[in-house]
Amino acid sequence: MNRNKNRSEQPQGSRRSEQQGAFRIESYNSPKTRYASENASTVFAAALFVVAFLLVVALWIAAVGEVDIFAIAVGVAVATLAVFTIRIANQWEKAVVLRFGKFNRVAGPGLFFTIPFVDHVALWADQRVMLTGFGAEETLTSDLVPINVDAAVFWMVWDAEKACMEVEDYYDAISLAAQTTLRDTIGRKSITDVTTHRVRLDEELKAAIEEKTEGWGVSVLSVEIRDIVIPKDLQTAMSAEARAERERDARMVLVEVEKDIAAMLHEAADIYREDDVAFNLRRMHLLNESVKQTGSAVVVPSAYAEGFIDEDGGITPKTGH
């Protein structure tokens, strides 16, 4: 049973990457083909057909006493009607039911009933979170720099009716809408904005894509930039520019430090100029530090020590009074 024609084959980008042997972001896309464990509805339909057929045959034998061609024909007809009447949808699915070509209801999950040859299931909408990878190759930024960008969009169908009625193939439509939005957004940004403000770019992409897909019953949960590839020659130039900026910042910091040191030295010079005692104490401190570090003796001229000898022969600094 074909549950969703929108998910019947893999993206062309994935097949191209397999043929070329190169990695593409589209290889992360949620698969359109179903896993074997997801075919429970098909197994249920087959089992229902067999049970209905055997039940009709058993009733025919109980009523007539034998099995003939008419019993088999009636059994096949009743089993076929049962398959088209009793349907089952998985927990994550919604079935869009049309009656005589017009929208009737959204059914599921679980068992639901349809009128054979009157009701038609137009879409089995998977309401789990889906992943679509998309990229923009050789896209020019606002400052005319060609870059390659890979991104991923996480989305889910929140309104199965709109997903069926408003867009023919919402899966591929989301992929193309995301790709064109990415190109438009990059074209309005400079290379610096693209590389240094990824979070802001993710938010802008999410808002722009969601604006397009909201009418399709699809909600965009998040958009994430995965990789940005810049030409190698430009990478070299940007690296040299970054190094130059760091050196400039380092020199500016050094100048600021030297300026602060000069200001403090100027303030200290004013203090020493006005206070001889402070100046002499500073000289003695430097002398003491020199002796401690070298471990040697220092011969002090008598003129140097005169300011520290009082009238009684003690070593005390003069007060100037």
Side-chain angles (χ1 to χ4, degrees), residues 300-321:
V300 180
S302 60
Y304 181 82
E306 287 179 356
F308 295 90
I309 301 176
D310 57 12
E311 296 177 355
D312 299 332
I315 309 298
T316 57
K318 287 186 177 181
T319 60
H321 297 289

Side-chain angles (χ1 to χ4, degrees), residues 9 17 35 94 114 129 140 143 152-153 160 170-171 230 241 243 257 266 290 301 308 310:
E9 59 182 2
S17 64
Y35 298 104
K94 290 288 187 179
T114 58
V129 176
L140 293 177
D143 47 0
V153 55
Y170 64 85
Y171 194 92
I230 304 173
E241 181 181 358
R243 287 196 300 269
V257 172
H266 179 73
S290 176
F308 295 90
D310 57 12

Side-chain angles (χ1 to χ4, degrees), residues 88-161:
I88 183 173
N90 293 319
Q91 180 64 36
W92 57 84
E93 287 182 326
K94 290 288 187 179
V96 180
V97 181
L98 304 182
R99 177 167 295 176
F100 293 115
K102 293 184 178 181
F103 173 78
N104 180 258
R105 70 185 187 280
V106 176
L111 287 173
F112 64 96
F113 300 92
T114 58
I115 302 175
F117 311 110
V118 175
D119 293 340
H120 168 64
V121 178
L123 175 67
W124 298 87
D126 192 327
Q127 293 194 306
R128 293 175 292 186
V129 176
M130 308 298 289
L131 167 64
T132 297
F134 59 98
E137 298 181 359
E138 300 294 330
T139 303
L140 293 177
T141 60
S142 60
D143 47 0
L144 302 181
V145 176
I147 60 175
N148 298 337
V149 181
D150 288 338
V153 55
F154 296 87
W155 55 274
M156 64 178 298
V157 177
W158 60 271
D159 191 331
E161 178 185 353

Side-chain angles (χ1 to χ4, degrees), residues 49-77:
F49 183 91
V50 173
V51 170
F53 176 79
L54 294 178
L55 182 61
V56 171
V57 171
L59 292 176
W60 188 277
I61 294 175
V64 179
E66 62 179 3
V67 178
D68 53 17
I69 188 64
F70 296 104
I72 296 176
V74 172
V76 170

Side-chain angles (χ1 to χ4, degrees), residues 160-175:
E161 178 185 353
K162 290 184 178 180
C164 179
M165 302 299 174
E166 302 298 333
V167 61
E168 191 272 335
D169 187 343
Y170 64 85
Y171 194 92
D172 290 339
I174 291 172
S175 178

Side-chain angles (χ1 to χ4, degrees), residues 1 48 79-87 113-117 119:
M1 183 181 297
L48 180 62
T80 302
L81 291 176
V83 169
F84 283 101
T85 301
I86 305 175
R87 304 293 188 94
F113 300 92
T114 58
I115 302 175
F117 311 110
D119 293 340

Side-chain angles (χ1 to χ4, degrees), residues 196-267:
T196 60
H197 301 95
R198 289 197 181 189
V199 176
R200 186 185 305 171
L201 184 60
D202 292 343
E203 295 175 354
E204 291 183 12
L205 286 172
K206 177 181 179 299
I209 297 174
E210 191 168 25
E211 184 179 358
K212 295 180 180 179
T213 61
E214 186 177 5
W216 305 341
V218 174
S219 177
V220 178
L221 304 180
S222 65
V223 178
E224 299 180 6
I225 300 294
R226 179 184 176 274
D227 192 18
I228 298 175
V229 180
I230 304 173
K232 292 184 178 180
D233 54 348
L234 182 60
Q235 291 182 19
T236 304
M238 293 179 66
S239 178
E241 181 181 358
R243 287 196 300 269
E245 290 181 356
R246 286 195 295 270
E247 292 178 0
R248 182 195 63 185
D249 294 340
R251 292 184 179 182
M252 292 179 63
V253 171
L254 180 60
V255 170
E256 291 291 336
V257 172
E258 291 180 351
K259 181 180 178 181
D260 294 338
I261 293 174
M264 288 186 290
L265 290 175
H266 179 73
E267 183 179 355

